[in-house]
């Protein structure tokens, strides 16, 4: 069984994964409310909160029935905020040392990449490796506050990055758009809530698609376009148009993500399409990618809502499923890597 820690940004999380049963238990403490008054994550506050919350989270894990059966420790090594990563790594190393267990540093993005497979494992824990070949090659889209990445997992289970964003990530575009509109943080859920009452075709926002065949994303033009639009409107007009502005802005983000994903699907014979990261909670995006998968005759594998944002369940799962990650269990030494890439 694997005990995992996650602390890359503003969530402190601990989980225990049992390869024979699935995720046995998981605990998370989110700091989102604390950061919302600042309009974004404040690294010092995040670090302080991790220091405060890992003790109680660990106490819960120690009280669980699974604690005694833990044989390995995993922790997010990066990418993420350096001081935040260091707190999780210190907690994980302390447990590994005290219990003389091997420890592994997990790449957070690779964990997002594998997270859509957690429900596949849960359906048939003993049959996971037999079920996996029917889902490979896999095309995946990671959409979070810091990343927008298309990647593949080949029949050999190797992860290959296909494309990414040239500027802002999709979640960042939603967060910055929400800030411009003054509707709160995190922006994605706020935009989605207001968009539900608006028309997606009310405003014409750019898609930043680039040339055909170019699978990279770009969201900075969209954000600028929203700024100019808002500057040209009166405050009362903006307030009255919030649902339409949000629906149209969100539609531009979803459309760009869905079009590039559809283009990528057509370039390979993928057997499944994954969707993970915080923005994967967006119902419109889920619907659009489900349609894209159906159109390509591919199985749609969205990560479960509890594993879309930052969480330790996916770190534990990837420590088990991702044999390719270079820093496999290496005694008691792990190094954090704030700038790690997929
Ligand atoms: O993966 P995640 O929890 O964290 C990091 O990137 O560290 O993703 C957070 C992002 C934020 O940008 C947030 O606005 C976005 O996910 N998000 C959403 C929704 N829920 C969270 N975006 C669109 N629709 C949502 N329902």
């Amino acid at each position: 069984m694997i005990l995992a820690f996650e602390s890359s940004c503003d969530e402190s999380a601990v989980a225990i994964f049992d390869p024979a049963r699935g995720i046995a238990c998981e605990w998370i403490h989110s700091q989102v409310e604390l950061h919302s008054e600042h309009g974004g994550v404040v690294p010092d506050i995040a670090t302080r909160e991790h220091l405060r919350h890992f003790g109680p989270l660990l106490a819960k894990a120690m009280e669980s029935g699974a604690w005694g059966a833990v044989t390995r420790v995993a922790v997010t090594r990066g990418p993420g905020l350096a001081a935040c990563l260091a707190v999780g790594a210190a907690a994980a190393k302390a447990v590994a040392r005290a219990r003389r267990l091997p420890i592994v540093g997990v790449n957070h993005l690779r964990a997002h990449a594998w997270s859509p497979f957690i429900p596949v494992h849960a359906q048939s824990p003993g049959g996971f490796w037999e079920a996996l070949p029917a889902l490979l090659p896999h095309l995946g889209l990671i959409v979070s506050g810091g990343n927008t990445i298309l990647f593949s997992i080949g029949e050999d289970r190797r992860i290959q990055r296909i494309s990414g964003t040239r500027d802002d990530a999709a979640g960042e575009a939603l967060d910055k758009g929400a800030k411009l509109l003054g509707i709160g943080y995190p922006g994605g859920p706020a935009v989605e809530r207001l968009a539900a009452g608006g028309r997606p075709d009310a405003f014409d926002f750019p898609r930043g698609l680039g040339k055909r065949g170019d699978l990279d994303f770009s969201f900075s033009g969209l954000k600028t376009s929203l700024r100019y639009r808002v500057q040209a409107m009166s405050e009362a007009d903006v307030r009255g148009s919030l649902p339409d502005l949000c629906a149209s802005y969100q539609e531009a983000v979803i459309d760009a993500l869905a079009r590039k994903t559809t283009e990528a699907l057509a370039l390979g014979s993928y057997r499944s399409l994954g969707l993970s990261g915080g923005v994967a909670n967006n119902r419109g995006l889920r619907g659009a990618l489900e349609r894209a998968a159906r159109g390509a005759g591919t199985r749609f594998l969205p990560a479960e809502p509890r594993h879309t944002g930052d969480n330790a369940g996916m770190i534990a799962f990837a420590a088990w499923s991702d044999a390719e990650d270079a820093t496999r269990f290496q005694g008691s030494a792990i190094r954090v890597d704030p700038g790690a890439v997929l």
Side-chain angles (χ1 to χ4, degrees):
M1 287 213 210
I2 302 173
L3 168 73
F5 295 78
E6 154 66 31
S7 67
S8 61
C9 191
D10 58 345
E11 259 95 30
S12 320
V14 174
I16 299 177
F17 172 70
D18 177 357
R21 284 193 308 138
I23 292 178
C25 25
E26 53 190 327
W27 302 270
I28 186 158
H29 176 267
S30 173
Q31 310 167 5
V32 75
E33 269 177 37
L34 266 182
H35 297 287
S36 68
E37 50 192 84
H38 301 278
V41 176
V42 182
D44 269 355
I45 296 179
T47 310
R48 184 193 72 196
E49 290 300 300
H50 286 307
L51 285 167
R52 189 176 284 170
H53 290 285
F54 266 114
L57 287 173
L58 201 48
K60 285 186 191 166
M62 291 170 80
E63 283 160 17
S64 80
W67 180 257
V70 168
T71 51
R72 290 165 175 226
V73 179
V75 60
T76 304
R77 71 180 149 89
L81 298 167
C84 294
L85 291 167
V87 177
K93 278 196 228 176
V95 173
R97 290 255 168 103
R99 295 207 30 201
R100 296 175 200 276
L101 300 175
I103 185 167
V104 65
V106 172
N107 178 312
H108 182 86
L109 292 170
R110 297 181 73 95
H112 272 309
W114 278 99
S115 64
F117 292 91
I118 298 175
V120 176
H121 174 273
Q123 261 175 20
S124 165
F128 179 72
W129 296 114
E130 287 70 39
L132 189 59
L135 299 168
L136 301 179
H138 169 86
L139 178 72
L141 176 67
I142 300 172
V143 266
S144 68
N147 289 279
T148 303
I149 300 173
L150 271 171
F151 65 93
S152 64
I153 304 180
E155 282 164 339
D156 56 2
R157 297 185 205 153
R158 279 185 174 280
I159 295 183
Q160 252 179 346
R161 185 188 167 102
I162 296 171
S163 67
T165 179
R166 294 220 174 88
D167 35 62
D168 294 342
E172 197 177 353
L174 291 165
D175 292 340
K176 288 178 175 170
K179 201 168 184 175
L180 265 168
L181 295 171
I183 58 172
Y185 173 87
V191 169
E192 183 173 32
R193 258 192 314 276
L194 277 158
R199 288 175 300 132
D201 58 355
F203 293 91
D204 188 19
F205 286 119
R207 268 41 175 175
L209 292 171
K211 285 194 225 104
R212 211 180 149 66
D214 170 5
L215 294 177
D216 277 340
F217 300 92
S218 169
F219 294 105
S220 64
L222 170 63
K223 182 190 63 193
T224 308
S225 164
L226 178 66
R227 180 177 312 120
Y228 287 147
R229 179 75 63 167
V230 167
Q231 277 169 0
M233 294 165 81
S234 72
E235 237 177 76
D237 245 6
V238 172
R239 235 176 296 123
S241 308
L242 277 178
D244 281 347
L245 282 166
C246 286
S248 303
Y249 190 77
Q250 176 180 268
E251 182 63 16
V253 173
I254 294 175
D255 192 27
L257 293 170
R259 282 207 221 178
K260 296 283 179 187
T261 306
T262 303
E263 232 182 287
L265 274 173
L267 295 174
S269 34
Y270 296 106
R271 291 205 172 102
S272 59
L273 171 66
L275 176 63
S276 55
V279 185
N281 287 326
N282 187 278
R283 283 189 298 277
L285 177 61
R286 281 189 179 236
L289 286 214
E290 187 167 18
R291 286 191 293 281
R294 206 180 310 127
T298 298
R299 184 158 154 202
F300 182 48
L301 285 184
E304 288 178 302
R306 69 192 164 124
H307 295 134
T308 49
D310 296 342
N311 67 91
M314 71 174 187
I315 302 300
F317 184 74
W320 176 75
S321 63
D322 187 5
E324 191 201 341
D325 199 351
T327 59
R328 297 297 295 162
F329 294 95
Q330 311 166 325
S332 60
I334 70 125
R335 213 179 316 143
V336 299
D337 183 3
V341 292
L342 183 73

